[in-house]
Amino acid sequence: MESRLAHIVFSTKERKRLITPQMESRLHAYLGGIVREQGGIALKINGTEDHVHVLAKTPKTVADSDFMRILKANSSKWVHETFPRYREFGW
C-alpha cells in the first residue's frame, strides 16, 4: 500500500492546557492506535499541555480530512470516557 508522510499538529480547543502528565502517554498511545486502524504507521507522537504532533505514514486511500476527523473525534471521545472530569476537553 502506498503511503505519504504527514506531520500533523492540532491543539486543544481554545489552546486550553488540558493534556496532563497523567493523560499524555496514554493519549499518545491511543492516537497511535487510531493511526494504525486507518492503515497508517505512527512514527512519532509527542506534544505539550495544549497540542500534539503526530508524524505518520498515512495511506493514500484515506483523504486527509477524513483521517484528521477520525483522529480528533475518536481521541476526544476516548478522553471523555477515560477522564470524565475533563468534560471540556476538545480539539
Side-chain angles (χ1 to χ4, degrees), residues 39-59:
I41 300 169
L43 302 172
K44 182 74 175 175
I45 300 175
N46 211 326
T48 65
E49 302 99 348
D50 66 358
H51 72 278
V52 295
H53 291 257
V54 178
L55 180 62
K57 289 184 179 180
T58 61

Side-chain angles (χ1 to χ4, degrees), residues 17-67:
R17 296 177 176 206
L18 298 174
I19 303 172
T20 64
Q22 298 80 15
M23 176 194 304
E24 186 177 49
S25 64
R26 292 177 66 190
L27 175 60
H28 293 172
Y30 194 82
L31 288 166
I34 297 169
V35 170
R36 279 190 302 280
E37 285 178 1
Q38 294 190 78
I41 300 169
L43 302 172
K44 182 74 175 175
I45 300 175
N46 211 326
T48 65
E49 302 99 348
D50 66 358
H51 72 278
V52 295
H53 291 257
V54 178
L55 180 62
K57 289 184 179 180
T58 61
K60 288 186 176 182
T61 56
V62 179
D64 291 339
S65 58
D66 290 335
F67 192 89

